Amino acid sequence: TAGITQAPTSQILAAGRSMTLRCTQDMRHNAMYWYRQDLGLGLRLIHYSNTAGTTGKGEVPDGYSVSRANTDDFPLTLASAVPSQTSVYFCASSDSVSEGNEQFFGPGTRLTVL
Amino acid sequence: GQNIDQPTEMTATEGAIVQINCTYQTSGFNGLFWYQQHAGEAPTFLSYNVLDGLEEKGRFSSFLSRSKGYSYLLLKELQMKDSASYLCAVSDSNYQLIWGAGTKLIIKP
């Protein structure tokens, strides 16, 4: 099985443009997450979804939106990109939101906003 | 506030043992995870501790002391492929993971 896939692998985006980062999992996991990873900082949660049809804000949600129309897909949208959104974005999933459930990560999307 | 502290970088010799420490202060505690992340790749799960004590898994062991807000990851018989960043993450009261910045481990021959 593929696990979690993300697209694109990398992207250079002009400031002010919009973009959607795609994430798909085939493990039938209930919970999904979007993180950004910046040098010297830990992974920071942007948005999460505990189950299809629901979403929630993480630590750094401003400038980002998500939707969870079905179990498999969890796209992340930047409505109007700014240079501070230059980062590596990881999508992750877990079977459920409960004790001990490890998160599985996609390969990441490297985004540069100029 | 919530805080996870781990050393930025460590160096060890192939074949040796290394201990990576993690201290935490979080709102609630539902377990502590260790992940490995090779450069340019995604994090992968190594271990999970929710009770005090040592969990052993092959060459890797993880220890937890909840009263001290402390954990360590012990890597034995180091191999060159163990060169990576090691991420400590605490599951908080909402089961969300709070992540440390990671410890970059450099293995020298």
Side-chain angles (χ1 to χ4, degrees):
Chain A
T1 59
I4 300 182
T5 58
Q6 293 184 235
T9 301
S10 65
Q11 183 76 43
I12 298 174
L13 187 66
R17 300 295 296 267
S18 66
M19 177 170 185
T20 296
L21 280 60
R22 300 184 297 278
C23 174
T24 300
Q25 53 103 359
D26 64 2
M27 298 176 283
R28 308 303 293 172
H29 281 172
N30 287 301
M32 297 187 74
Y33 314 85
W34 274 106
Y35 292 96
R36 59 178 290 173
Q37 187 174 41
D38 302 290
L39 200 62
L41 299 177
L43 288 160
R44 290 184 292 169
L45 184 65
I46 303 170
H47 284 286
Y48 64 92
S49 169
N50 289 342
T51 189
T54 69
T55 62
K57 293 181 179 180
E59 178 187 356
V60 289
D62 294 343
Y64 306 94
S65 64
V66 292
S67 61
R68 186 90 184 277
N70 57 60
T71 298
D72 299 344
D73 301 300
F74 192 42
L76 176 74
T77 298
L78 288 67
S80 179
V82 294
S84 62
Q85 291 178 310
T86 293
S87 188
V88 179
Y89 290 86
F90 286 103
C91 179
S93 72
S94 64
D95 183 49
S96 66
V97 181
S98 62
E99 186 176 289
N101 271 277
E102 66 182 272
Q103 293 184 12
F104 295 83
F105 284 78
T109 294
R110 184 173 296 274
L111 179 67
T112 302
V113 181
L114 301 175
Chain B
Q2 309 206 92
N3 197 47
I4 312 284
D5 285 319
Q6 45 181 138
T8 302
E9 187 174 295
M10 299 182 70
T11 302
T13 304
E14 188 177 16
I17 299 173
V18 71
Q19 177 176 311
I20 302 173
N21 296 325
C22 171
T23 59
Y24 63 88
Q25 288 180 303
T26 57
S27 58
F29 180 83
N30 281 305
L32 186 145
F33 293 82
W34 284 96
Y35 279 75
Q36 181 189 60
Q37 186 177 25
H38 285 102
E41 298 183 6
T44 55
F45 170 79
L46 285 177
S47 68
Y48 172 72
N49 294 68
V50 66
L51 299 177
D52 290 352
L54 188 68
E55 294 279 345
E56 297 186 78
K57 202 184 279 189
R59 293 189 300 114
F60 292 10
S61 303
S62 56
F63 171 84
L64 175 67
S65 169
R66 289 172 296 171
S67 62
K68 295 182 179 178
Y70 168 70
S71 173
Y72 67 73
L73 181 69
L74 192 70
L75 291 73
K76 303 176 186 176
E77 301 169 14
L78 286 170
Q79 302 175 10
M80 296 304 293
K81 67 179 183 179
D82 296 330
S83 292
S85 289
Y86 292 85
L87 314 181
C88 173
V90 171
S91 179
D92 71 7
S93 56
N94 295 314
Y95 300 102
Q96 300 293 355
L97 294 186
I98 310 300
W99 297 82
T103 298
K104 182 178 181 180
L105 178 63
I106 299 168
I107 310 296
K108 295 186 175 180

